[in-house]
Structures are given as structure tokens and as C-alpha cells.
Amino acid sequence: MIAGTARLLAIPCLIFFLLITIPVIAAADSYTSAAMWGSQGSADGQFAYPAGIAVSGTGVVLVADNSNNRIQQFSQTGTFQKKFGTRGSATGEFSNPWGVATDASGNIYVADTFNHRIQKFDPSGSYLMTIGSGGTGAGQFIDPAGVALDTGGNLYVTDYGNGRVEKFNPDGSFAAVWGSMGSGNLQFYDPVGIAVDKSGNIYVADTYNHRIQKLGPDGSFLKAWGSQGSGTGQLDYPWGLALDSSGNVYVADSWNHRIVKYTPEGNWLLSFGSDGTAQGQLKYPEGVAVDSAGRVFVAEGGNHRVQVFSPVFSGGMIAVSSVPPGARVILDGTDTGYVTPCTLTGIAAGTHRVNASLARYLTATGLVPVIAGQTAGIRFNLTPPPLPGYSSSPTDPDNDGLYEDLNGNGKAGFADVVLFFQQLDWIAANEPIPAFDFNGNGKIGFVDVVSLFNEVQ
């Protein structure tokens, strides 16, 4: 909440927003089964308890065919393309592989679970390297299950038997480890699925605790959601986990035979699937992946098949961004649980009020007309609150992210230096720190006044 007097809070917010219309890519109202392939067996295109699944940037579908000890590759419509791997412990061999993931170059990472290692392959399936070994030390595993890559090519692994998450550098060297066995925050009980968002936040399917945990890029605990059950938002042995381009979280809720979708903050959105063998039904889903078009790919361990679900929409979408990013998005007076940038889906046609709220910035508001089947975009420029005695917000005359114009007259000068010095304590307590941290040390103090003085001379 922005500190200050009621008079300051009543000042109209200075915002800029741009409305655009683009073709809809995905929606969040419901999902329908669009394709299905596979049956129990060991022939090409058959499976024996498929576990992990991934969709590469080029649209290739990779499946960890667990009990057949191999990786199979398909087109997005289920056409078999190739396979690699056989049972064993030599390089290129597997013992019940579980997780599979790809990096930006198309390289393939496989959690070779009972060999207690990760194996890396090039896009053709040729062996490249092994990461890790059996044990409890740093960089070692007991039954690694899930694998994920961040935008920098760093590898994240759920160390199932050790109850923790490990991170490795792109060259395979050990980087960090987080967590321990247990049920508290940042503790895990046989974790399986893992995914990393664009900001580096880590999502973990804490399987036997029947919940999802969200960690920061440094491995710090952020939040957890879920409890054992079959109700809305509850989970019963969540296995696989994936994110879409908006950061929504998809969970293979295995023993409930469904996929559950949450916002990035853990708010329940919807679920689909039920126990059965017919198309659209699921039996013990274990792996889940989402492609760039929003289609959801599910590896069904119980039905020995892959099923693809396409989004169905009845409303429109609102793409929301802000400068700076990270503002909470409020739609028609209700906190959506999303932060900018994000896309709100399934929005009823008509005009909607959107607010973007960020601590120590003025909350910005805009009206957005929504058309079914289309995306409307709104972009907010959030501004700091005016200083005491002034009606205009500080501005950033040179667009460098620092607000040199403290009195809001549109230019930086010596008067702003004097004002900074006079209101230093108030600014430190009420204004967004990055906007006035001129020396870049992460806090506001007298040295920032000196830095501003040197800049305006």
C-alpha cells in the first residue's frame, strides 16, 4: 500500500496504455481431447508406463517410456519418428527413465532414475554427457525424477530419494542444492515434477506431501499450495508439472486422474480429465507438457498412451504489462493473483476495468474492451507518488529508470537536489527504492543525493 496522506492518494494516476487486438492463441475456459496415441507394448509407438513428456521448441514430442527403458520421439500428431536407449547402465542406456526436458538448442536431458544420474543427448539422440552419480553428497542423486532447464541453460533436478532440488551449470558442474526430507517449507517428500519460469522461479511437485512448492531463483521458499484430497485445488500424488507462456502451472494430479491448472501464485483455475480409458479420460497421468500454442500433452501411465488437449474458449483475453514489471493485476475489483506481464484468459465480452498495483507506486487504472476470441492489450507506466507539498509525480527525463526530476516539472535541476536532501527520509520510506537509488547500492541515502548533484551539474 502506498504510504502518504489521503490528499496524495486522491491525485489522479499518470498512466499510459495501448490497446491492441491480435488473434487468440489459447484460452482458459476448458480443454478438449484433440489427439491420442499409444497402447501397451514395446513396439515403436507403444509404451510401458510412460512417465515424463516434453515438447521442444521445434514442436517435437519426447516421451520417457519408463519400463521400456527408452526415449521415443513423435510429431505433435503422434507420428513415430525415432527412439533411443535400452536397459542397462552404460552411457546411452537407461534404468527406468522418468523425467525428460529439452534446452533452447534442442538437446535432450533424461532423468535416468535407477542409474542415479542425468544423461544429456543431442537432438538426434546421440550421447553427450552424464551428470551426477548415486549418493547423498552435492551433485549426487538417489532416484532423480524430474528435470527442467531455465533460460540460461542451467539444469534443475528433483532428487526424489534425497528429498531435495539440485541445480547444475550448463557445463554439468554442480551449482546449488535446496531442501531436505520433510513436510515443512522448503522440505520435500519424494518430489517428482519440476519447472522453471522466465524469471527463474522454481516450481516443484512435492508429490508425497500432495502440494506444489514455489521457490525463488536463489532457492528461497516463496509459497506452497495444495493438500491431499479430490476437491477444488486439492491434489492426490501430483507427479508431472509444466508451465505455459503466461506462467500458469499445470499439474498431473495422478491419483485424481486429472490435470489441474493454477495461476503462477497458486490460485486454482480449472481441472480436466476423469478416471477412465475413453478419449478425454485419464488414468494415472504422470507427465505433462504445454506447447507454445497452449496445447497440453499428457503421458498416461495407467493407459500407456499420450493424450493431447486443446484449449477451448468462450470469452476473450487481456494481455497486461507494466513498467516496471511485477505489478499485481486487479480485474473489475478482484485480485487475479497474476503479476505483470501476464495474460488473463476466458474474459467475458464487454468493457473491463484493469488495475496494476505495485508497492510504492501509484496504482494505475485502465478500461479495456474485450471481444470474444481476441486479445486486448494494456500497458501501464507506473509512477512514484508525488513528494509532500507537490501535486506532480517525479519523472524520469532521460528514460534511464532513475527519477531525477523529483518536483515533477519535467526536467532535472539543482532544485531537485535540494528537494531530495530535504525529503530524504520520506523518500526512503515511501518511494520505490530502484527509482531513486542513484548509486545502485540497493538503498536510498545521502550518497544518492550526492550522485544526483553530480549528474545535474
Side-chain angles (χ1 to χ4, degrees):
M1 184 70 181
I2 299 170
T5 65
R7 179 177 64 83
L8 292 178
L9 290 174
I11 296 172
C13 302
L14 301 177
I15 65 169
F16 166 78
F17 62 91
L18 173 66
L19 294 177
I20 59 173
T21 301
I22 61 175
V24 68
I25 296 176
D29 297 319
S30 63
Y31 289 80
T32 185
S33 179
M36 184 172 66
W37 67 84
S39 60
Q40 188 169 13
S42 59
D44 293 349
Q46 290 187 310
F47 303 105
Y49 303 98
I53 189 167
V55 182
S56 74
T58 58
V60 167
V61 180
L62 297 157
V63 182
D65 190 3
N66 182 270
S67 293
N68 281 325
N69 298 289
R70 64 187 181 183
I71 301 298
Q72 293 199 67
Q73 179 177 310
F74 302 87
S75 71
Q76 291 195 2
T77 57
T79 301
F80 173 82
Q81 295 178 338
K82 64 185 175 187
K83 63 186 178 184
F84 58 92
T86 186
R87 184 169 185 81
S89 58
T91 58
E93 296 180 332
F94 303 114
S95 181
N96 296 95
W98 197 279
V100 61
T102 63
D103 63 20
S105 299
N107 296 310
I108 303 163
Y109 298 75
V110 180
D112 187 8
T113 302
F114 291 164
N115 281 325
H116 313 293
R117 64 188 181 184
I118 307 300
Q119 293 197 68
K120 180 180 178 181
F121 302 84
D122 70 15
S124 71
S126 297
Y127 171 82
L128 293 176
M129 67 160 51
T130 294
I131 300 168
S133 60
T136 60
Q140 293 185 308
F141 309 110
I142 297 179
D143 303 336
V147 286
L149 283 298
D150 65 18
T151 56
N154 299 297
L155 173 68
Y156 300 77
V157 182
T158 49
D159 189 2
Y160 180 92
N162 283 320
R164 63 189 184 182
V165 172
E166 295 197 68
K167 178 182 178 180
F168 296 84
N169 297 309
D171 64 0
S173 61
F174 172 79
V177 60
W178 306 295
S180 60
M181 191 70 76
S183 59
N185 294 339
L186 202 54
Q187 290 187 314
F188 304 99
Y189 186 6
D190 295 345
V192 178
I194 189 167
V196 185
D197 68 19
K198 297 173 184 176
S199 299
N201 297 308
I202 307 157
Y203 299 78
V204 182
D206 190 3
T207 303
Y208 280 74
N209 281 324
H210 310 284
R211 65 184 181 182
I212 305 302
Q213 291 200 59
K214 181 179 180 179
L215 314 181
D218 60 353
S220 58
F221 173 81
L222 295 180
K223 69 186 312 177
W225 66 84
S227 60
Q228 187 170 19
S230 59
T232 299
Q234 290 187 307
L235 300 166
D236 199 7
Y237 297 99
W239 293 95
L241 187 151
L243 308 177
D244 65 18
S245 59
S246 296
N248 296 308
V249 183
Y250 298 74
V251 180
D253 187 9
S254 187
W255 285 29
N256 281 324
H257 312 287
R258 66 187 182 185
I259 303 299
V260 185
K261 181 178 178 179
Y262 301 90
T263 71
E265 298 305 311
N267 296 322
W268 181 87
L269 290 174
L270 57 84
S271 62
F272 56 91
S274 61
D275 185 14
T277 61
Q279 186 164 2
Q281 293 186 307
L282 301 168
K283 187 171 287 293
Y284 299 109
E286 297 183 0
V288 62
V290 184
D291 71 7
S292 59
R295 290 171 295 202
V296 181
F297 294 72
V298 183
E300 294 183 64
N303 282 328
H304 309 282
R305 68 186 183 189
V306 170
Q307 197 164 174
V308 185
F309 293 83
S310 294
V312 177
F313 67 91
S314 60
M317 302 166 67
I318 303 176
V320 188
S321 61
S322 71
V323 179
R328 296 192 69 84
V329 178
I330 300 165
L331 178 68
D332 297 327
T334 300
D335 192 332
T336 65
Y338 285 86
V339 297
T340 57
C342 64
T343 300
L344 310 178
T345 59
I347 308 302
T351 299
H352 296 268
R353 181 177 297 275
V354 181
N355 293 342
S357 178
L358 186 59
R360 297 193 177 189
Y361 286 89
L362 292 172
T363 296
T365 302
L367 296 177
V368 184
V370 173
I371 299 173
Q374 297 184 355
T375 299
I378 185 167
R379 179 177 183 270
F380 296 100
N381 277 351
L382 300 173
T383 58
L387 273 64
Y390 290 83
S391 60
S392 297
S393 290
T395 68
D396 175 15
D398 55 3
N399 295 310
D400 64 350
L402 296 170
Y403 285 69
E404 298 91 348
D405 169 29
L406 278 75
N407 60 20
N409 67 355
K411 58 184 179 180
F414 185 72
D416 297 296
V417 178
V418 174
L419 182 57
F420 198 177
F421 175 76
Q422 293 173 337
Q423 297 292 339
L424 184 60
D425 290 341
W426 187 93
I427 291 170
N430 296 279
E431 295 284 9
I433 292 174
F436 298 91
D437 178 22
F438 291 95
N439 73 338
N441 67 352
K443 57 186 177 181
I444 297 175
F446 182 72
V447 288
D448 297 299
V449 178
V450 175
S451 296
L452 178 60
F453 173 78
N454 291 331
E455 183 175 339
V456 301
Q457 294 305 301

